Amino acid sequence: CLWFPQWPLQRLRREVPALKSRPVVLSEGGPRGWRVWMCSTEAAARGAKPGMPLAEAKSLAGEGSTRRRQPVCFHDAAPA
């Protein structure tokens, strides 16, 4: 069994290298509006934390550092 607790952030930073050393906040919408789902250690050091309102996290981590949560897709790796 493998466990990658920061996998969504790791995947995003691999896809967008400019985010590698920047604070990053992943958000998701819900009945109480947009909230932080996960944040990088850099964003956490600035005060962002899961569950807080996205607007508050943006003011702490920076406007360009937020992304919407994307579902992870797993593809069948069976040989063709």
Side-chain angles (χ1 to χ4, degrees), residues 28-75:
E28 67 178 349
R32 299 184 321 172
W34 286 93
R35 301 221 167 241
V36 175
W37 175 66
M38 178 181 285
C39 59
S40 66
T41 54
E42 295 86 359
R46 292 183 177 198
K49 57 186 173 185
M52 80 171 10
L54 183 58
E56 185 178 350
K58 283 181 179 181
S59 70
L60 296 169
E63 186 70 32
S65 61
T66 61
R67 299 287 191 275
R68 289 185 178 179
R69 177 182 178 189
Q70 297 293 322
V72 177
C73 296
F74 295 96
H75 299 282

Side-chain angles (χ1 to χ4, degrees), residues 1-7 10:
C1 179
L2 299 173
W3 183 54
F4 300 100
Q6 296 271 310
W7 175 249
Q10 292 170 331

